[in-house]
mmCIF file of all heavy atoms in Angstrom:
data_model
loop_
_atom_site.group_PDB
_atom_site.id
_atom_site.type_symbol
_atom_site.label_atom_id
_atom_site.label_comp_id
_atom_site.label_asym_id
_atom_site.label_seq_id
_atom_site.Cartn_x
_atom_site.Cartn_y
_atom_site.Cartn_z
ATOM 1 N N ASP A 9 7.338 21.502 -5.424
ATOM 2 C CA ASP A 9 7.211 22.460 -6.537
ATOM 3 C C ASP A 9 6.296 21.963 -7.654
ATOM 4 O O ASP A 9 6.641 22.029 -8.837
ATOM 5 C CB ASP A 9 8.598 22.810 -7.097
ATOM 6 C CG ASP A 9 9.449 23.536 -6.082
ATOM 7 O OD1 ASP A 9 8.907 24.380 -5.365
ATOM 8 O OD2 ASP A 9 10.661 23.246 -6.006
ATOM 9 N N ILE A 10 5.127 21.483 -7.267
ATOM 10 C CA ILE A 10 4.091 21.104 -8.240
ATOM 11 C C ILE A 10 2.983 22.160 -8.194
ATOM 12 O O ILE A 10 2.292 22.302 -7.186
ATOM 13 C CB ILE A 10 3.501 19.719 -7.931
ATOM 14 C CG1 ILE A 10 4.522 18.623 -8.187
ATOM 15 C CG2 ILE A 10 2.258 19.467 -8.781
ATOM 16 C CD1 ILE A 10 4.777 18.318 -9.640
ATOM 17 N N VAL A 11 2.826 22.938 -9.242
ATOM 18 C CA VAL A 11 1.793 23.961 -9.398
ATOM 19 C C VAL A 11 1.735 24.847 -8.155
ATOM 20 O O VAL A 11 2.641 25.662 -7.953
ATOM 21 C CB VAL A 11 0.407 23.332 -9.716
ATOM 22 C CG1 VAL A 11 -0.573 24.411 -10.179
ATOM 23 C CG2 VAL A 11 0.531 22.271 -10.804
ATOM 24 N N LEU A 12 0.727 24.683 -7.313
ATOM 25 C CA LEU A 12 0.579 25.534 -6.133
ATOM 26 C C LEU A 12 1.197 24.930 -4.880
ATOM 27 O O LEU A 12 1.121 25.533 -3.800
ATOM 28 C CB LEU A 12 -0.909 25.804 -5.867
ATOM 29 C CG LEU A 12 -1.670 26.545 -6.969
ATOM 30 C CD1 LEU A 12 -3.127 26.740 -6.558
ATOM 31 C CD2 LEU A 12 -1.020 27.888 -7.261
ATOM 32 N N ILE A 13 1.783 23.748 -5.007
ATOM 33 C CA ILE A 13 2.378 23.085 -3.845
ATOM 34 C C ILE A 13 3.877 23.373 -3.814
ATOM 35 O O ILE A 13 4.600 23.070 -4.765
ATOM 36 C CB ILE A 13 2.123 21.571 -3.877
ATOM 37 C CG1 ILE A 13 0.615 21.285 -3.820
ATOM 38 C CG2 ILE A 13 2.830 20.887 -2.721
ATOM 39 C CD1 ILE A 13 0.273 19.815 -3.930
ATOM 40 N N ASP A 14 4.314 23.948 -2.691
ATOM 41 C CA ASP A 14 5.736 24.245 -2.523
ATOM 42 C C ASP A 14 6.457 23.025 -1.946
ATOM 43 O O ASP A 14 7.282 22.396 -2.602
ATOM 44 C CB ASP A 14 5.880 25.460 -1.600
ATOM 45 C CG ASP A 14 7.332 25.835 -1.370
ATOM 46 O OD1 ASP A 14 8.200 25.348 -2.124
ATOM 47 O OD2 ASP A 14 7.610 26.615 -0.437
ATOM 48 N N ILE A 37 -4.565 18.621 -7.819
ATOM 49 C CA ILE A 37 -3.099 18.710 -7.915
ATOM 50 C C ILE A 37 -2.464 17.529 -7.198
ATOM 51 O O ILE A 37 -1.473 16.951 -7.663
ATOM 52 C CB ILE A 37 -2.599 20.034 -7.317
ATOM 53 C CG1 ILE A 37 -3.176 21.223 -8.086
ATOM 54 C CG2 ILE A 37 -1.073 20.088 -7.323
ATOM 55 C CD1 ILE A 37 -2.831 22.565 -7.464
ATOM 56 N N LYS A 53 3.841 22.557 -17.490
ATOM 57 C CA LYS A 53 2.969 23.458 -16.724
ATOM 58 C C LYS A 53 2.734 22.969 -15.296
ATOM 59 O O LYS A 53 2.213 23.719 -14.457
ATOM 60 C CB LYS A 53 1.635 23.637 -17.434
ATOM 61 C CG LYS A 53 0.776 22.396 -17.503
ATOM 62 C CD LYS A 53 -0.526 22.664 -18.240
ATOM 63 C CE LYS A 53 -1.434 21.450 -18.284
ATOM 64 N NZ LYS A 53 -2.693 21.718 -19.008
ATOM 65 N N LEU A 54 3.107 21.721 -14.992
ATOM 66 C CA LEU A 54 2.964 21.220 -13.631
ATOM 67 C C LEU A 54 4.036 21.765 -12.701
ATOM 68 O O LEU A 54 3.884 21.707 -11.476
ATOM 69 C CB LEU A 54 2.999 19.690 -13.629
ATOM 70 C CG LEU A 54 1.818 18.982 -14.298
ATOM 71 C CD1 LEU A 54 2.065 17.489 -14.352
ATOM 72 C CD2 LEU A 54 0.520 19.272 -13.558
ATOM 73 N N VAL A 55 5.126 22.271 -13.245
ATOM 74 C CA VAL A 55 6.210 22.802 -12.422
ATOM 75 C C VAL A 55 5.781 24.158 -11.866
ATOM 76 O O VAL A 55 5.311 25.031 -12.600
ATOM 77 C CB VAL A 55 7.507 22.938 -13.236
ATOM 78 C CG1 VAL A 55 8.633 23.480 -12.364
ATOM 79 C CG2 VAL A 55 7.894 21.586 -13.835
ATOM 80 N N ARG A 56 5.952 24.354 -10.571
ATOM 81 C CA ARG A 56 5.547 25.598 -9.918
ATOM 82 C C ARG A 56 6.301 26.775 -10.526
ATOM 83 O O ARG A 56 7.522 26.699 -10.726
ATOM 84 C CB ARG A 56 5.834 25.520 -8.411
ATOM 85 C CG ARG A 56 5.297 26.697 -7.594
ATOM 86 C CD ARG A 56 5.467 26.440 -6.109
ATOM 87 N NE ARG A 56 6.874 26.345 -5.764
ATOM 88 C CZ ARG A 56 7.643 27.395 -5.441
ATOM 89 N NH1 ARG A 56 7.137 28.614 -5.447
ATOM 90 N NH2 ARG A 56 8.907 27.217 -5.131
ATOM 91 N N PRO A 57 5.615 27.856 -10.841
ATOM 92 C CA PRO A 57 6.278 29.024 -11.430
ATOM 93 C C PRO A 57 7.458 29.483 -10.575
ATOM 94 O O PRO A 57 7.353 29.601 -9.346
ATOM 95 C CB PRO A 57 5.168 30.088 -11.454
ATOM 96 C CG PRO A 57 3.903 29.298 -11.531
ATOM 97 C CD PRO A 57 4.160 28.057 -10.722
#
Side-chain angles (χ1 to χ4, degrees):
D9 295 320
I10 291 286
V11 193
L12 298 180
I13 298 177
D14 180 15
I37 299 174
K53 67 181 182 180
L54 293 174
V55 181
R56 187 172 64 88

